[in-house]
């Protein structure tokens, strides 16, 4: 049966094809595993970068928190203004500014600062984030609803009160899980 050259050639071709298919099937699980490992590596890289960013922010804003803890909120605001100018797209400075302004009793400016910070980085309303300021934002929203809403209703033509109330509603919506 395997007598002529054509038959021998076809048998060799069939064996090479089967060996090639076995090689393809043998390589497929390994390839899928490596893509899973690659995605795990990517997730780990993202987490490490996030942790490095948090550590950088804490180190960067240490002078501000030290001044605040020392009872020097005005000096802390001055240092914070300098850092906000140096890093204009960074939300952490705006959040700290909001906390300081709230401590100093400037509710509308504190709300405005928190809104700007949350719009830049939503991690501040995420309770699982190490940057979370959810409790402070919740207290600010409650105070804003208690103090600003009655004033805005009593003075419907006052645009600054309306803007402050809208900012309070924005923060309230973000706390409730809403997005931009």
């Amino acid at each position: 049966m395997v007598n002529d050259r054509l038959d021998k050639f076809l048998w060799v071709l069939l064996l090479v094809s089967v060996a090639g298919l076995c090689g393809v099937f043998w390589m497929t699980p390994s390839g899928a595993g490596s893509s899973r490992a690659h995605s795990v590596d990517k997730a780990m890289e993202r987490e490490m970068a996030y942790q490095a960013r948090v550590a950088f922010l804490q180190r960067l804003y240490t002078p501000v928190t030290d001044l605040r803890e020392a009872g020097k909120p005005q000096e802390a605001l001055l240092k914070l203004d300098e850092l906000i100018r140096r890093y204009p797209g960074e939300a952490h400075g705006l959040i700290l500014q909001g906390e300081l302004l709230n401590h100093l009793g400037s509710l509308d400016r504190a709300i405005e600062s928190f809104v700007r910070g949350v719009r830049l980085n939503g991690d501040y309303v995420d309770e699982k984030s190490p940057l979370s300021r959810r409790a402070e934002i919740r207290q600010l929203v409650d105070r804003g609803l208690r103090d600003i809403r009655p004033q805005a209703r009593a003075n419907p033509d006052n645009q600054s009160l309306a803007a402050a109330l809208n900012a309070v509603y924005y923060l309230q919506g973000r706390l409730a899980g809403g997005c931009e």
Side-chain angles (χ1 to χ4, degrees), residues 13 27 41 49 64 79 81 90 96 123 140 159 166:
L13 186 62
M27 295 297 283
D41 289 344
V64 175
K79 180 66 176 169
D81 284 339
E90 181 54 53
L96 287 176
D123 288 349
L140 193 68
Q159 296 298 319
N166 285 336

Side-chain angles (χ1 to χ4, degrees), residues 59 90-91 95:
R59 190 177 72 244
E90 181 54 53
I95 297 297

Side-chain angles (χ1 to χ4, degrees), residues 107-116 118-119 125 137-150 152 160-176:
L107 180 62
D108 54 341
R109 289 184 57 211
I111 291 170
E112 176 188 334
S113 187
F114 268 100
V115 165
R116 288 176 37 215
V118 169
R119 282 194 173 139
V125 293
I137 294 172
R138 167 59 54 203
Q139 290 174 353
L140 193 68
V141 166
D142 291 343
R143 188 169 156 219
L145 291 173
R146 185 184 68 236
D147 296 349
I148 296 175
R149 186 168 40 190
S160 64
L161 283 174
L165 185 60
N166 285 336
V168 170
Y169 288 149
Y170 169 79
L171 289 174
Q172 185 180 36
R174 289 303 303 263
L175 287 172

Side-chain angles (χ1 to χ4, degrees), residues 42-56:
K42 287 271 192 195
M44 186 179 285
E45 286 177 18
R46 277 193 303 268
E47 182 64 28
M48 287 174 52
Y50 185 74
Q51 288 177 1
R53 182 174 181 273
V54 169
F56 171 74

Side-chain angles (χ1 to χ4, degrees), residues 28-42:
T28 301
S30 173
S34 69
S35 70
R36 273 186 255 128
H38 182 66
S39 66
V40 168
D41 289 344
K42 287 271 192 195

Side-chain angles (χ1 to χ4, degrees), residues 7-25:
D7 287 338
K8 290 179 184 178
F9 175 73
L10 290 175
W11 278 107
V12 169
L13 186 62
L14 181 64
L15 286 174
V16 169
S17 299
V18 169
L21 281 174
C22 287
V24 167
F25 288 127

